Amino acid sequence: MKKWNLIIDVAKCENCNNCMLTTRDEHVGNDFPGYAAPQPVHGHYWIKVERKVRGEGAMVDAAYRPTTCNQCDNAPCIAKAGDGSVYKRPDGVVIIDPVKAKGRRDIVGSCPYGAIWWNEELQLPQKWIFDAHLLDQGWKQPRCVQSCPTGVFKAVCIEDEEMQEIVKKDKLEVLRPDLKTKPRVYYRNLYRYNKCFIGGTVVAEVKGLIESIPGAEVTLKRNKVSIASLQTDAFGDFKFDQLDPNSGDYQVEISHPTLGTAVVNVSLAESLYIGTIKVGQKGGGVFNIATNRKELTPAS
């Protein structure tokens, strides 16, 4: 049977919050019997855009990750309810029954993604329902898909086998796969939010001036094994991305055919901008960088 899935592209999100606003427009003050009671005016974010800033100084980027109900196939909220007050439809959408779930505040804490909210006035747990009330009327997409100006969201109703082919082909990810909740919300470019980078700027002394050096070869090594390589851009910058946080020691080796070499030893906790690295220094230019001080020191 065909089921609904949502694909979210983190790289396309610009934090406009149209998704959150259209969800509020749909649900605040509106009662949809059998689907959802009215959403409160304040305090609920059925679609919430989370921000992550990486790096510092001359190399900083920001990513925005919309987070909502993951419509899990192995949903903890359904297990917590235990009485059918939270259930999964045949099309994959999870619904909190606005009548049966009344008074069940304990359901809120069952969601590991923080996607269930407590309506104090109605004494009811609530969440985004994938606009199931509209889909049942023949709508082809939830409103968040239609309102997004940058194409962050894509909702597809397809067989599970076809969806898994897309997941594999496009390298999609889910949040917290270790929880084994089997989400039906998938992310593209999630590394922008949950991974780290090591970056820097290569310079050299040219005719008495310190110049940025494009086209320098930069290699990232771990345990003396090369794991990635690239060339500096027109501004002398380089950036190795998609590294795990708190992943420990790396070595950055830089070489230029006429200007010389440099080596920087780094220990990665969070995304790290090394700063300017001067090639062609006397002795080969081998440095250590202390991540808490953000400064280069000659290696002993």
Side-chain angles (χ1 to χ4, degrees):
M1 179 178 179
K2 292 183 178 181
K3 298 178 182 178
W4 284 103
N5 306 270
L6 186 67
I7 301 172
I8 299 174
D9 192 338
V10 175
K12 291 183 177 181
C13 184
E14 299 290 343
N15 197 33
C16 73
N17 277 275
N18 271 13
C19 53
M20 179 271 292
L21 292 171
T22 52
T23 300
R24 287 187 174 181
D25 178 67
E26 186 66 27
H27 289 278
V28 171
N30 294 323
D31 188 13
F32 301 108
Y35 297 97
Q39 180 182 2
V41 176
H42 302 293
H44 280 212
Y45 295 88
W46 292 5
I47 299 180
K48 185 176 183 180
V49 181
E50 309 273 6
R51 183 182 71 169
K52 178 67 174 291
V53 177
R54 308 186 305 167
E56 64 178 0
M59 193 170 289
V60 177
D61 61 33
Y64 303 97
R65 187 194 69 186
T67 307
T68 185
C69 172
N70 279 255
Q71 315 297 336
C72 304
D73 283 347
N74 188 24
C77 56
I78 294 177
K80 182 66 176 180
D83 60 357
S85 57
V86 186
Y87 65 94
K88 176 172 278 287
R89 299 179 1 150
D91 64 359
V93 176
V94 174
I95 297 291
I96 299 178
D97 190 294
V99 176
K100 293 180 180 179
K102 199 171 184 65
R104 293 294 305 273
R105 189 164 192 162
D106 57 315
I107 293 174
V108 175
S110 69
C111 178
Y113 307 103
I116 301 178
W117 303 80
W118 179 248
N119 188 321
E120 185 66 30
E121 180 181 356
L122 299 180
Q123 292 291 292
L124 186 67
Q126 294 182 292
K127 69 172 194 68
W128 184 54
I129 61 171
F130 213 95
D131 289 351
H133 62 302
L134 299 177
L135 300 177
D136 289 350
Q137 296 175 35
W139 285 49
K140 303 301 182 184
Q141 299 281 328
R143 285 192 64 186
C144 64
V145 179
Q146 296 183 339
S147 66
C148 180
T150 57
V152 171
F153 302 93
K154 182 179 181 181
V156 292
C157 189
I158 56 180
E159 300 283 350
D160 285 346
E161 294 77 12
E162 184 179 353
M163 186 64 216
Q164 289 310 305
E165 289 178 3
I166 294 173
V167 170
K168 185 177 181 179
K169 177 174 67 71
D170 294 346
K171 298 180 180 179
L172 304 181
E173 301 177 77
V174 297
L175 298 182
R176 296 294 307 275
D178 56 300
L179 297 175
K180 302 186 186 304
T181 57
K182 299 182 179 180
R184 304 194 74 84
V185 174
Y186 297 88
Y187 288 85
R188 181 180 282 115
N189 296 311
L190 186 57
Y191 76 90
R192 291 283 305 277
Y193 193 90
N194 64 2
K195 297 291 186 178
C196 293
F197 68 76
I198 294 173
T201 304
V202 178
V203 300
E205 185 173 338
V206 180
K207 296 181 179 180
L209 298 175
I210 300 299
E211 301 279 6
S212 298
I213 304 303
E217 294 288 340
V218 187
T219 302
L220 183 67
K221 290 185 175 182
R222 191 171 190 190
N223 298 323
K224 299 182 179 179
V225 177
S226 176
I227 58 176
S229 62
L230 49 73
Q231 288 189 338
T232 55
D233 64 16
F235 303 99
D237 292 337
F238 67 86
K239 185 178 186 181
F240 295 103
D241 212 331
Q242 303 188 44
L243 304 173
D244 290 330
N246 300 304
S247 52
D249 295 335
Y250 294 85
Q251 189 175 61
V252 179
E253 296 185 353
I254 304 164
S255 66
H256 188 277
T258 61
L259 296 173
T261 63
V263 177
V264 183
N265 298 310
V266 304
S267 182
L268 184 64
E270 294 294 332
S271 290
L272 174 63
Y273 175 60
I274 297 172
T276 56
I277 306 156
K278 189 176 180 181
V279 296
Q281 299 238 52
K282 187 176 181 180
V286 180
F287 302 93
N288 294 323
I289 181 166
T291 55
N292 60 330
R293 290 180 293 150
K294 298 296 188 299
E295 61 183 23
L296 290 171
T297 58
S300 57

